[in-house]
Amino acid sequence: MTIADKPNNSKNVESIYPLSPMQQGMLFHTLYTPESRMYFQHLSCTLQGSLQVPAFEQAWQRVVERHPVLRTAFVWEKRSKPLQVVCKSVKLRWTHYDWRSLSSVEQKEHLETFLQVDRTQGFELNQAPLMHFTLIQIAEDTYQFVWSYHHLLIDGWSLPNIVREVFTFYEVISRNDDLYIKTPRPYRDYIAWLQKQDSSKAEAFWREKLAGFIAPTPLCVDRSSANYQPHSSYREQEIYLPESTTAALQSFARQHQLTLNNLVQGAWALLLSRYSRESNVVFGATVSGRPPDLIGVESMVGLFINTLPIRVDIACEAELLPWLKALQVQQVELEQYAHTSLVDVQGWSDVPRGMTMFESIVVFENYPVDESLQQQIANLNVHDIRSLEQTNFPLTVVASPGKQIHLKISYDTSRLDDSAIARMLGHLQMLLTGFVAKPEQYLSDLSLLTEPECDRLLFEWNGKQADYARNFCIHQLFEQQVECNSDADAVTFEDRQLTYGELNARANQLAHYLRSLGVGVDTLVGICLERSLEMVVGILGILKAGGAYVPLDPTYPQDRLSFMLTDSQIRVMLTQKSLLPQLPAHDAKVLCLDSDWQTIALSSSQNPIALSTPENLAYIIYTSGSTGQPKGVAIAHANVTRLFAATDAWFDFSDRDVWTLFHSFAFDFSVWEIWGALIYGGRLVVVPYWVSRSPEAFHELLCQERVTVLNQTPSAFQQLIQVIQTEQNLSRDGNLVLRQVIFGGEALEIQGLRPWFDRHGDELPQLVNMYGITETTVHVTYRPITLADLRENKGSVIGRPIPDLQVYVLDGQQRLLPIGVPGEMYVGGAGLARGYLNRSELTQERFILNPFSNEPQARLYKTGDLARYLSNGDLEYLGRIDNQVKIRGFRIELGEIESALGQHPSVLQTVVLAR
């Protein structure tokens, strides 16, 4: 029956009154997103036995007549506040189907389709009753019963009362008897009670509880961009805790005067804290909302529940049992204000209007709905009880007691995927099991991880503690190529070139001369040269002498060069005559590879006797520092040689490859470029500086030099793509012979590759994304990029660790985090640097002992990068946890710039942003 302001309907109106706060919220969300069918409820079960259908329908009619709220509709248009209107009488809508001719499989398929269609149809909220019933006969003595209703009418605590009454009346009607049951108080008495409450005490309580809370606690396991789905739908997953675990939890609660609800909320608070990396979390909790001072409230039917915020502090040093007891005290306090409108509570908080207070709610169902249905009633057996509801929250945790505690999670599939929820249920079970296993433990001792998940994260998805090619120094691998390819071109620059034999001879002459100047094992030698053949000769000569090169890019600011020279205390400086006037003051012996070469050339061109071992230093590269000063990263020969050996199977580099040295030799990507060419017998093309700054000129060089292996930051490659896309370059594009394009140095935005894939598809060259850090020797992970990745927007996925590296995603207490949960990346294995030059405290802070290794000296590098493991074992890069950025591959500490600006006498405060 439609309720409207029309005279012919007024005779059927029993009463009109306002909505409860919870009803107001549900009505708003239902009207705001009508297509979602939010708060549409299904209760279904199987009725087996001799069902008397007319008696069953009459029983429902009698119950609806007893409870005015079940005859209620809602009106809101042209009104300042919505109202609920109770009809004197309503006719219940029943639908009957006969599916006896269908197989059991077909019956299940038909039922799922029916439930979906029924849900889609929803209800007209201004038409009473907001419920209908479906009986489906599936066998001679078996029916599927579905009760569809809107949550606006009743809550879960009302269901047992309704169900008991229905079957009581059904038994009586089946026997042709009559029965009088005392009429319960109507729902409007609760509304009247609400209107008498003083909100001032509630306001003071909530303002104190929520002070300083400004944003909802994130779930942090939302779908990655790779799997985002634009359309919302809700799904459910559930588990039953073993009877032994359930009994242990019940005993634990009794022994310590706690409740199961208390334990579930505590477990959820801990899970949220671990997922979000926040020590102060807020989630919603559903309370019964039935005021004890309202006489007869326990038998009333209606919507009494309320959802209110629970704010929990999680201090790692807190002991479990006292923490749970404190949480229970808070819950008791909250019950005094359980009637407060969530809208009012949010208004009293510091959370901005329009932003939700929480993204998850916990519902503890301590009403025995199943027990009310699962009983032998008038020759009927009730089983297969199912309920489905959808809230306006992305995630709802429902816990129900019994012989086995039932945990169910309802979730928005546009935000959360099935695998994340399955793991979440496992983590919740682990925490609850952990509570009873050791009550005296600290919160930090509780583990989320299941044993299979631990095995994946520690072993299955991580590189082994393997040694790759640690028996040679870098220059020794180069010398092996000289023996095989002496006459082949090794390095070209503009119109000049050196063969392997010529490059080796010149580097040997320099090495012998450097030794005469006192250069030996681990001696730091500065090299400040423009891009040239001499630069490669200089680097190789330093290594052959036994020293470690310290690249000083002549384009760097004077202050930075000055600090690097002072910090490294280099003994010898290799440079060129034209750069001498711009070098800062220093005490090193200067050797100009142009004007001094005649003297250097007098030295022997034979390979010097090897002094270095693979564990000796190869280079020091300076990176930005948050303190305002760069820091020198010390890398050994073995770090570099094992990098190529460990990745060899993926790339198949050979003497047929042509590489470019595109990047500054003070950027560690250059290590991969230089030695990727020279230890495999390939040819290295040194890119002139002006060419590296002109995508058009660089594209022409790639074509002319027939480059096969290109290493690029994604931003530089996107500029190259733009050149390739222009009409004048279409014909020249055919001259590209690239077979590998390897990205590194900065995060990849895969949509920037769309024009490339539109043009080339999945043909050669192969595109590879490699995440890396200077402190772990250039590259850490490997992942080929395909057209499918573009379609699924997998740009932030960086793949798995190189075979001899391990990557762990850890929280602030350096505990292993679950799959899908963001945390800081820590890298272990063969690529780790020796540490920072002259920075022992920083080295100890960033290179920590590896708690996951049996080797006592094994270390982990604390990257400062945020990531998470995906369910397929790939890592997804999520940015920085500090204010470091990467611009064209260069690591920039915004704090370093702020520090420099702050030294100016006219600058009081500084903030530096990257755009």
Side-chain angles (χ1 to χ4, degrees):
M1 181 171 294
T2 302
I3 304 297
D5 295 330
K6 295 180 180 179
N8 59 332
N9 289 325
S10 60
K11 293 181 180 179
N12 194 34
V13 173
E14 180 177 299
S15 58
I16 301 175
Y17 46 90
L19 279 63
S20 71
M22 193 68 170
Q23 284 179 313
Q24 291 175 29
M26 285 187 181
L27 179 63
F28 169 79
H29 288 292
T30 302
L31 296 175
Y32 187 70
T33 54
E35 71 284 350
S36 70
R37 302 306 173 194
M38 200 172 289
Y39 295 109
F40 183 98
Q41 310 269 107
H42 273 135
L43 181 69
S44 67
C45 60
T46 302
L47 304 174
Q48 194 167 20
S50 179
L51 176 67
Q52 298 184 38
V53 175
F56 192 55
E57 293 183 6
Q58 289 177 46
W60 275 102
Q61 188 71 44
R62 291 283 295 274
V63 172
V64 170
E65 290 169 358
R66 282 171 47 79
H67 299 286
V69 73
L70 301 180
R71 294 178 265 117
T72 298
F74 297 83
V75 292
W76 61 90
E77 293 179 341
K78 299 179 182 179
R79 287 175 170 81
S80 59
K81 287 188 176 182
L83 296 170
Q84 47 189 324
V85 181
V86 179
C87 297
K88 293 178 181 177
S89 64
V90 294
K91 181 174 177 57
L92 300 182
R93 180 158 62 93
W94 285 82
T95 305
H96 297 267
Y97 296 104
D98 188 342
W99 292 352
R100 283 176 290 179
S101 62
L102 302 177
S103 68
S104 59
V105 174
E106 290 173 325
Q107 287 174 351
K108 288 181 180 178
E109 291 174 351
H110 275 58
L111 180 60
E112 293 305 317
T113 301
F114 163 76
L115 293 174
Q116 186 61 43
V117 172
D118 187 42
R119 182 180 190 81
T120 302
Q121 292 174 346
F123 294 105
E124 294 295 331
L125 299 183
N126 62 349
Q127 295 182 17
L130 298 181
M131 62 173 69
H132 56 257
F133 306 88
T134 305
L135 262 179
I136 305 164
Q137 189 167 8
I138 56 178
E140 291 303 319
D141 64 344
T142 309
Y143 289 82
Q144 187 71 43
F145 171 61
V146 180
W147 174 26
S148 308
Y149 63 94
H150 201 285
H151 204 348
L152 275 165
L153 301 182
I154 57 172
D155 56 26
W157 276 266
S158 299
L159 288 177
N161 291 338
I162 293 173
V163 169
R164 276 193 297 269
E165 289 187 11
V166 165
F167 282 105
T168 299
F169 280 117
Y170 172 74
E171 286 190 280
V172 171
I173 294 170
S174 298
R175 298 195 303 265
N176 292 319
D177 288 340
D178 201 2
L179 174 71
Y180 171 77
I181 305 177
K182 182 181 177 181
T183 303
R185 295 186 70 168
Y187 185 62
R188 67 171 179 266
D189 288 1
Y190 169 66
I191 300 295
W193 179 89
L194 276 177
Q195 293 176 321
K196 295 176 183 177
Q197 302 309 302
D198 179 8
S199 66
S200 58
K201 289 184 179 180
E203 179 178 353
F205 171 81
W206 288 113
R207 284 191 183 278
E208 179 188 355
K209 284 293 178 188
L210 298 174
F213 169 64
I214 59 173
T217 303
L219 296 169
C220 286
V221 287
D222 299 65
R223 286 181 179 273
S224 66
S225 57
N227 299 311
Y228 178 72
Q229 295 181 347
H231 303 295
S232 284
S233 63
Y234 275 72
R235 201 171 291 157
E236 290 181 346
Q237 290 190 49
E238 62 185 3
I239 59 170
Y240 286 88
L241 300 189
E243 289 188 21
S244 58
T245 303
T246 300
L249 284 166
Q250 290 168 339
S251 174
F252 177 85
R254 284 193 304 270
Q255 181 183 352
H256 300 291
Q257 291 81 51
L258 299 169
T259 64
L260 288 179
N261 184 20
N262 183 207
L263 301 183
V264 171
Q265 288 191 11
W268 185 249
L270 279 170
L271 184 146
L272 269 187
S273 176
R274 299 282 181 87
Y275 275 32
S276 65
R277 307 185 312 283
E278 294 183 2
S279 60
N280 187 268
V281 302
V282 174
F283 58 92
T286 300
V287 295
S288 71
R290 293 174 182 256
D293 56 338
L294 182 60
I295 298 172
V297 71
E298 67 282 349
S299 62
M300 293 171 67
V301 169
L303 184 69
F304 295 87
I305 60 164
N306 199 5
T307 301
L308 294 169
I310 303 290
R311 186 178 186 181
V312 186
D313 282 318
I314 296 97
C316 293
E317 66 276 9
E319 294 181 35
L320 172 62
L321 207 51
W323 178 77
L324 286 171
K325 288 182 177 293
L327 183 58
Q328 186 181 45
V329 170
Q330 180 181 338
Q331 290 172 329
V332 172
E333 289 177 342
L334 183 143
E335 287 174 5
Q336 301 174 54
Y337 309 98
H339 61 276
T340 318
S341 162
L342 183 57
V343 175
D344 289 339
V345 174
Q346 175 145 358
W348 299 328
S349 76
D350 297 325
V351 177
R353 289 286 184 182
M355 181 184 290
T356 182
M357 290 192 72
F358 37 79
E359 298 216 296
S360 63
I361 65 171
V362 176
V363 181
F364 191 81
E365 292 184 336
N366 56 6
Y367 40 86
V369 183
D370 290 6
E371 292 178 16
S372 300
L373 288 170
Q374 288 175 325
Q375 50 185 304
Q376 193 77 20
I377 304 167
N379 300 318
L380 279 181
N381 182 261
V382 184
H383 55 91
D384 294 336
I385 303 154
R386 295 174 54 193
S387 63
L388 178 65
E389 67 174 283
Q390 176 180 326
T391 71
N392 61 296
F393 299 100
L395 186 145
T396 301
V397 180
V398 181
S400 307
K403 288 184 178 180
Q404 293 179 268
I405 292 175
H406 178 218
L407 298 174
K408 178 175 70 176
I409 294 181
S410 169
Y411 54 102
D412 182 349
T413 58
S414 72
R415 290 275 307 273
L416 300 150
D417 61 32
D418 298 341
S419 59
I421 300 301
R423 290 191 298 272
M424 190 180 287
L425 283 166
H427 299 154
L428 201 53
Q429 179 174 351
M430 284 293 295
L431 286 168
L432 288 167
T433 304
F435 284 179
V436 296
K438 190 178 178 183
E440 66 277 6
Q441 66 190 310
Y442 294 99
L443 298 186
S444 58
D445 296 332
L446 287 156
S447 175
L448 288 180
L449 296 175
T450 61
E451 189 172 337
E453 195 170 18
C454 270
D455 287 342
R456 290 191 196 100
L457 293 170
L458 290 175
F459 308 115
E460 184 181 335
W461 293 347
N462 254 315
K464 307 298 186 288
Q465 302 281 351
D467 285 336
Y468 286 92
R470 301 182 70 91
N471 299 321
F472 296 97
C473 293
I474 299 168
H475 55 277
Q476 291 172 326
L477 294 179
F478 166 77
E479 289 167 355
Q480 292 175 11
Q481 292 300 325
V482 173
E483 293 178 8
C484 303
N485 301 290
S486 179
D487 295 329
D489 284 345
V491 188
T492 60
F493 174 71
E494 295 182 328
D495 57 350
R496 300 171 60 206
Q497 59 277 326
L498 290 173
T499 65
Y500 271 84
E502 292 168 340
L503 175 59
N504 190 52
R506 290 200 183 193
N508 288 341
Q509 290 171 326
L510 177 59
H512 285 293
Y513 191 83
L514 287 173
R515 284 192 180 176
S516 73
L517 298 177
V519 173
V521 173
D522 284 357
T523 302
L524 302 187
V525 180
I527 177 166
C528 184
L529 289 166
E530 293 175 341
R531 297 168 185 239
S532 58
L533 299 180
E534 287 72 25
M535 185 179 74
V536 181
V537 171
I539 292 173
L540 189 54
I542 293 169
L543 297 181
K544 282 172 169 279
Y549 71 94
V550 182
L552 303 162
D553 193 318
T555 65
Y556 277 179
Q558 287 285 297
D559 286 350
R560 188 177 183 89
L561 288 174
S562 179
F563 173 83
M564 293 163 66
L565 285 166
T566 303
D567 185 62
S568 61
Q569 293 291 297
I570 59 174
R571 298 265 302 274
V572 179
M573 164 77 82
L574 303 186
T575 185
Q576 60 200 68
K577 190 172 183 179
S578 61
L579 294 178
L580 288 176
Q582 65 189 67
L583 282 175
H586 59 88
D587 298 326
K589 167 70 175 175
V590 174
L591 196 60
C592 293
L593 295 191
D594 47 6
S595 59
D596 293 332
W597 188 256
Q598 286 186 340
T599 303
I600 299 168
L602 298 175
S603 300
S604 170
S605 60
Q606 298 301 308
N607 290 340
I609 297 172
L611 298 179
S612 302
T613 69
E615 302 308 319
N616 287 128
L617 285 180
Y619 61 83
I620 304 284
I621 282 184
Y622 277 83
T623 64
S624 292
S626 57
T627 60
Q629 294 178 335
K631 49 189 185 290
V633 182
I635 299 293
H637 284 263
N639 291 47
V640 178
T641 56
R642 50 64 41 193
L643 169 65
F644 287 100
T647 57
D648 185 64
W650 294 329
F651 295 109
D652 192 28
F653 297 139
S654 74
D655 57 4
R656 297 184 300 276
D657 282 317
V658 179
W659 296 61
T660 57
L661 176 53
F662 177 87
H663 301 92
S664 166
F665 73 147
F667 174 25
D668 73 329
F669 213 168
S670 66
V671 173
W672 176 258
E673 293 178 294
I674 295 170
W675 304 115
L678 298 183
I679 67 175
Y680 284 97
R683 180 163 62 93
L684 179 66
V685 179
V686 180
V687 180
Y689 182 80
W690 72 270
V691 173
S692 71
R693 293 300 179 264
S694 169
E696 293 80 8
F698 184 54
H699 175 265
E700 189 170 351
L701 179 142
L702 293 176
C703 296
Q704 289 176 348
E705 298 287 353
R706 310 288 287 170
V707 173
T708 62
V709 180
L710 176 62
N711 301 276
Q712 290 275 272
T713 60
S715 55
F717 189 69
Q718 286 175 13
Q719 293 176 337
L720 191 62
I721 290 175
Q722 292 173 9
V723 173
I724 294 172
Q725 291 302 109
T726 59
E727 284 189 31
Q728 61 265 37
N729 282 299
L730 288 180
S731 59
R732 287 189 296 171
D733 187 27
N735 296 323
L736 281 176
V737 293
L738 295 172
R739 72 176 189 86
Q740 297 276 359
V741 177
I742 301 161
F743 297 117
E746 65 190 22
L748 173 67
E749 174 47 63
I750 199 167
Q751 292 306 318
L753 300 178
R754 182 173 294 279
W756 178 272
F757 278 110
D758 288 345
R759 185 179 184 83
H760 296 277
D762 269 338
E763 300 172 1
L764 286 177
Q766 182 185 45
L767 306 185
V768 177
N769 190 18
M770 297 189 81
Y771 160 83
I773 319 163
T774 306
E775 287 85 347
T776 56
T777 315
V778 190
H779 296 309
V780 174
T781 66
Y782 167 91
R783 190 176 192 281
I785 307 166
T786 65
L787 184 58
D789 294 328
L790 177 74
R791 292 173 181 148
E792 298 174 17
N793 200 25
K794 290 186 176 178
S796 55
V797 179
I798 56 175
R800 295 194 185 186
I802 287 171
D804 62 350
L805 295 181
Q806 302 85 45
V807 176
Y808 307 104
V809 179
L810 309 181
D811 65 11
Q813 283 67 51
Q814 294 168 357
R815 291 172 300 210
L816 204 61
L817 281 169
I819 297 165
V821 177
E824 185 174 359
M825 273 195 288
Y826 287 70
V827 180
L832 263 64
R834 183 182 292 184
Y836 295 116
L837 185 66
N838 303 325
R839 306 284 283 279
S840 58
E841 288 187 10
L842 184 62
T843 298
Q844 289 177 5
E845 175 190 330
R846 301 302 293 270
F847 293 85
I848 66 169
L849 288 177
N850 184 349
F852 310 109
S853 173
N854 294 325
E855 298 179 15
Q857 299 304 314
R859 297 172 302 151
L860 291 179
Y861 174 66
K862 188 178 190 292
T863 69
D865 286 326
L866 197 62
R868 62 179 173 183
Y869 269 104
L870 301 178
S871 55
N872 66 351
D874 280 342
L875 281 156
E876 181 183 22
Y877 178 79
L878 301 172
R880 292 288 298 175
I881 61 172
D882 53 23
N883 64 347
Q884 186 188 98
V885 297
K886 281 200 174 182
I887 298 175
R888 293 189 177 179
F890 286 97
R891 215 156 84 183
I892 307 296
E893 288 278 3
L894 300 182
E896 182 180 344
I897 302 173
E898 290 173 354
S899 176
L901 291 174
Q903 293 172 17
H904 193 282
S906 300
V907 176
L908 181 62
Q909 291 182 319
T910 63
V911 175
V912 177
L913 302 175
R915 291 186 178 178

